[in-house]
Amino acid sequence: MATRITLRPGRLTLPLLRQAYEQPVRVVIAPVVWKQVAASAATVTALAAGDEAVYGVNTGFGLLAKQRISKPDLSELQRRLVLSHAVGTGPLLRDEVVRLVMVLKIASLARGHSGVRKQVIEALAKLLNAGVYPCIPSKGSVGASGDLAPLAHLSALLLGVGEARVGGRVLPAMAALKAAGLKPLTLAAKEGLALLNGTQVSTALALAGLFAAEDVFSAAIVAGALSGDAMLASDTPFDRRIHEVRGQPGQAAVAKMLGALTRGSAIRKSHVDCDRVQDPYSLRCQPQVMGACLDVIGFAAGVFLREANAVSDNPLVFPREGEILSGGNFHAQPIAMASDALATAIAEIGSLSERRIALLVDANLSTLPAFLVAKPGLNSGFMILQVTAAALASENKSLAHPASVDSLPTSANQEDHVSMATFAARRLGDMADNTAGIVAVELMGAAQGVDFRQPLKTSAKLQEAMGAIRARVRFLDQDRFLAPDLAAAKDLVASGWFRRFLGFAATPWRGP
């Protein structure tokens, strides 16, 4: 059953957006918005009736902005704009992402600076509430002038063109509209442009990447604590005094998390007076590395949330002054650059986890059986699981290359600098999936290592994590087919289950 949420444009929160991403929703638009929406649409209508050239209202688009359009053709101009721009390609965006795109587009239009009528916004809400998700190809946007091609595919459905998924089935547009109790819309002046212009696809993909990054971060913190206990690592590096004198908030927060997770471990107490001076960096420097990742996640969350609440089409309507102003809010450079930063964090979370896996399988460093299995030689144990993790970590290094530094001019050099935000955001999902696989391997290996320390027990919190792992992956006493185990552990990581240990919510990080 869909969850009811109230959209208050300009006041969206990350928990609300995560909810809309993770499950079907029924949106109710706060009534307070309609006065501004009506005034904005009336401003467009008045200017369209006049003789002044207004971009996108009675002119062509892009390099064709100097071409005046006659009044009888203004509605047809908007229809042709939508149809001509629906030229995306590649696999379709997942329903979860499309649902988030629709929420963001509704919220942006309802701010009342886009000049669309109430019935257009309500039509989008009806589609969303009926679970009718436009089929949107994932490729074809450069992130300026907005996400034109993908948003055109969304908008075409309102005209009765294209396809939509309903209950997992692909239906032609007219049948999909009927399922939502709608008929095709006839667009008024500027409405097609308002629907197409905007950063909602890039932002939805970025938010999906952010939510996945939070999930893998949380799992990696638990995995790092569990690996440290399995390898008899010291908890001295988590001492708050070390982190206070540096002053990095994420670092201090991660040290506190790790200390809380390992507190009370009998394994730790068993080697408190050992002669080991320092652990390898992947154990000892977890607060420094993962803390930096947490700070980047918080930075990206702030950028994405601001953009989720933004009006990002062009031109913008200011009904109080009776003006329409052309600008560049459609340029998604903030999303592109924040996505690039988040990509480095996702890659580093996986990179550090892979290094701990390498320690776990190395008997000389871990003091555990070679490759975490009895009778090594006859059994290969975790040998190739570590290879899989290495492959995923290496792939993420390539994917982490910044997209925002690239630009190719479009529209005959009228749009001469673009953001590439859509790809910058879209690749975050692939990277988080890779990191989820790496962390899943570490959780399996760390649990194996802790079991080898019996009868000593780990901390109460880590025993809870062990229980979740062991409910899905049993102890490896001899070689077996491990692909289902890895898939089960990866599903646990991606589910967000480990967030409970950190109190880690979808909110921008603001320090300890």
Side-chain angles (χ1 to χ4, degrees), residues 220 223-224 226-228 230-231 280 282-283 286 349-363 365-366 368-372 381-393 434-447 449 486:
L226 201 59
S227 290
M231 290 186 277
S282 59
L283 294 170
Q286 289 183 78
I349 293 166
S351 176
L352 195 69
S353 177
E354 186 280 326
R355 287 293 79 206
R356 291 191 297 265
I357 298 165
L359 293 180
L360 282 164
V361 300
D362 187 336
L365 294 171
S366 70
L368 292 164
F371 299 106
L372 296 172
F382 278 66
M383 180 187 295
I384 306 305
L385 280 169
Q386 188 269 328
V387 173
T388 296
L392 296 172
N434 287 341
T435 295
I438 298 167
V439 175
V441 172
E442 184 184 3
L443 287 166
M444 293 168 62
L486 177 56

Side-chain angles (χ1 to χ4, degrees), residues 445-465:
Q448 186 84 357
V450 166
D451 278 342
F452 274 124
R453 300 296 181 190
Q454 291 181 357
L456 295 174
K457 293 186 179 298
T458 187
S459 69
K461 288 185 177 181
L462 292 180
Q463 284 181 58
E464 183 183 350

Side-chain angles (χ1 to χ4, degrees), residues 123-450:
L124 284 171
K126 285 183 178 180
L127 289 174
L128 179 62
N129 291 344
V132 176
Y133 305 127
C135 291
I136 303 178
S138 58
K139 300 182 181 183
S141 173
V142 295
S145 169
D147 294 313
L148 293 172
L151 287 175
H153 283 275
L154 180 151
S155 306
L157 183 63
L158 294 173
L159 308 181
V161 178
E163 295 177 324
R165 275 194 295 242
V166 183
R169 295 173 54 230
V170 175
L171 299 180
M174 293 301 293
L177 288 176
K178 185 177 180 180
L182 290 170
K183 294 181 179 180
L185 285 178
T186 298
L187 298 176
K190 194 187 176 298
E191 288 181 338
L193 184 58
L195 286 164
L196 267 58
N197 236 201
T199 63
Q200 287 78 34
V201 173
S202 295
T203 305
L205 287 165
L207 285 166
L210 171 70
F211 300 148
E214 290 177 345
D215 293 341
V216 297
F217 174 91
S218 301
I221 291 289
V222 176
L226 201 59
S227 290
D229 225 18
M231 290 186 277
L232 309 181
S234 172
D235 60 2
T236 298
F238 310 149
D239 190 301
R240 64 176 177 77
R241 293 169 293 182
I242 295 172
H243 311 288
E244 284 176 353
V245 298
R246 192 175 199 185
Q248 294 290 354
Q251 176 180 323
V254 168
K256 186 176 180 180
M257 293 171 187
L258 291 167
L261 284 168
T262 56
R263 190 170 296 119
S265 168
I267 298 175
R268 169 59 184 145
K269 291 176 183 176
S270 74
H271 62 92
V272 120
D273 296 320
C274 70
D275 59 359
R276 186 186 300 181
V277 178
Q278 293 189 134
D279 297 311
Y281 286 0
S282 59
L283 294 170
R284 182 170 22 125
C285 297
Q286 289 183 78
Q288 288 77 12
V289 178
M290 294 295 283
C293 292
L294 179 57
D295 286 335
V296 169
I297 289 170
F299 160 73
V303 174
F304 299 161
L305 180 58
R306 288 191 292 274
E307 195 71 8
N309 281 294
V311 182
S312 57
D313 58 291
N314 182 65
L316 296 177
V317 183
F318 295 89
R320 183 180 300 175
E321 297 84 3
E323 292 185 70
I324 297 182
L325 304 180
S326 286
N329 281 4
F330 53 72
H331 202 297
Q333 198 72 21
I335 295 296
M337 297 183 75
S339 294
D340 282 344
L342 183 57
T344 64
I346 294 171
E348 280 301 281
I349 293 166
S351 176
L352 195 69
S353 177
E354 186 280 326
R355 287 293 79 206
R356 291 191 297 265
I357 298 165
L359 293 180
L360 282 164
V361 300
D362 187 336
N364 293 319
L365 294 171
S366 70
T367 70
L368 292 164
F371 299 106
L372 296 172
V373 70
K375 298 183 180 178
L378 176 61
N379 292 308
S380 295
F382 278 66
M383 180 187 295
I384 306 305
L385 280 169
Q386 188 269 328
V387 173
T388 296
L392 296 172
S394 184
E395 183 175 309
N396 270 356
K397 292 176 186 178
S398 295
L399 288 171
H401 185 279
S404 60
V405 297
D406 185 26
S407 177
L408 281 174
T410 60
S411 192
N413 282 308
Q414 171 72 6
E415 298 159 4
D416 60 346
H417 183 278
V418 297
S419 71
M420 299 300 177
T422 322
F423 169 68
R426 177 164 51 82
R427 61 66 143 95
L428 296 176
D430 290 337
M431 294 185 68
D433 185 72
N434 287 341
T435 295
I438 298 167
V439 175
V441 172
E442 184 184 3
L443 287 166
M444 293 168 62
Q448 186 84 357
V450 166

Side-chain angles (χ1 to χ4, degrees), residues 36-125:
Q36 172 82 0
V37 167
S40 181
T43 301
V44 172
T45 300
L47 289 171
D51 295 324
E52 180 184 351
V54 181
Y55 175 72
V57 175
N58 53 18
T59 73
F61 307 98
L63 195 65
L64 302 176
K66 295 180 181 180
Q67 301 294 319
R68 288 295 297 270
I69 309 300
S70 64
K71 292 176 183 176
D73 289 332
L74 294 186
S75 179
E76 183 62 19
L77 170 69
Q78 299 301 312
R79 175 180 172 82
R80 293 188 187 188
L81 172 70
V82 172
L83 298 180
S84 68
H85 283 49
V87 290
T89 188
L92 298 179
L93 294 177
R94 293 178 293 115
D95 285 352
E96 296 89 343
V97 173
V98 175
R99 186 165 58 239
L100 197 48
V101 172
M102 296 172 78
V103 168
L104 296 176
K105 178 53 82 174
I106 291 167
S108 179
L109 296 177
R111 289 281 302 274
H113 290 287
S114 301
V116 305
R117 295 165 296 162
K118 178 182 179 181
Q119 69 190 80
V120 176
I121 301 171
E122 288 183 327
L124 284 171

